[in-house]
Every structure is written in structure tokens, then in C-alpha cells.
Amino acid sequence: MGQVALIESVRYLSQCADCGSEMECIGVQALVGQRLEWDIGYHCSVCDDALYECGPGGSCIPDDLRRRLLAEHGEARLVLSDPLASPALVMKVLRAELGGDLAQAKGILQQIRAGMFAGTMPEMTLLVHRLRAAGVKAEAERPQRADEASVCRQPATDHGF
């Protein structure tokens, strides 16, 4: 089984902590195999200061990077393809992946059914893989934004997870 990657990235400008010049930053969130990973790279062309931060599987993506990715790419939603999917099974997967108690998992399930549970495409695709592995039909989709001309529905494919 090969590594499957789903990557979203964003470029943005920031101020160099050393010299105060404007510098380019690149942030990435990726689904690699069955893990979410993130990284941020900074490089100042004036003073040559550089920094690379990363968070391998399990570490939380920095809020600023997550907000930038959502602003750049839009939210992806988790959709249960089978409206009669077992609530207990879905909540079991949600608790295993997102933590929290039974009441929180029930609240998230209600958000999913209302079309209100969203995140980055890598985050939602990982949940889709986990749900499918448990026998629940699900997909991640990104509603089309007004400024996009092509269809943005991106179903997660089953790669043997």
C-alpha cells in the first residue's frame, strides 16, 4: 500500500523577526497515509533568516495556519452518504478521532447531519477514511464558492484504509 497524499498550501507575507523586512511564508497541511501533518517555512531574502516548523501526525495545526488555509481554499464538509448510518458507529469513530465524550460526539453527529461540520479538506478526508474503514459511507465535499467556475466536489477515494 503506497502513501497517499492530499495537500493544501497557502503563501502569505509576514514580517521578519530579525530585521523587520517583509518575507514570504508557506504553510502546508497534508494527509499522508493515515496521518495529518503540517509545516510552515519562512525565509527572509534581506537578512537570510530562515525557519521551518513542522508537526507530524497527531500534533494540532497552528490556529493561524488553519485559518489561512480555510480562507484560501474554503471549508470542506463531511457528508454521510447513507442517512441511516448507525449513529453509534459514527459516534465511535468521531470519539476515537476527535476525542471528547459521548455528548460531544452526539453534537458533532448532529452538525454533520445538518451540513454544518466542516474543516480543511485533509481533515475531513481523514475522517472519511476512518468512517469508511468502520463501514460507514461518507465523503468530503467542498461547496462551490462564487469565485470558482469549476465543480469542487472532491470525494475521498478508498485507498485501502
Side-chain angles (χ1 to χ4, degrees), residues 64-112:
D64 182 57
L65 175 56
R66 189 170 188 273
R67 276 192 302 273
R68 289 177 187 276
L69 288 167
L70 289 169
E72 176 81 15
H73 299 283
E75 292 182 332
R77 301 213 186 286
L78 179 62
V79 177
L80 297 178
S81 305
D82 178 4
L84 302 177
S86 165
L89 190 53
V90 174
M91 289 189 296
K92 180 179 178 180
V93 172
L94 293 174
R95 288 187 70 195
E97 290 304 307
L98 305 175
D101 61 20
L102 191 56
Q104 289 168 320
K106 185 176 181 180
I108 292 170
L109 176 58
Q110 290 171 342
Q111 289 177 5
I112 292 169

Side-chain angles (χ1 to χ4, degrees), residues 1-6 31-35 129 157-161:
M1 174 173 55
Q3 293 285 336
V4 176
L6 172 66
L31 175 59
V32 181
Q34 295 188 44
R35 296 184 336 163
H129 289 313
T157 56
D158 187 355
H159 295 283
F161 299 127

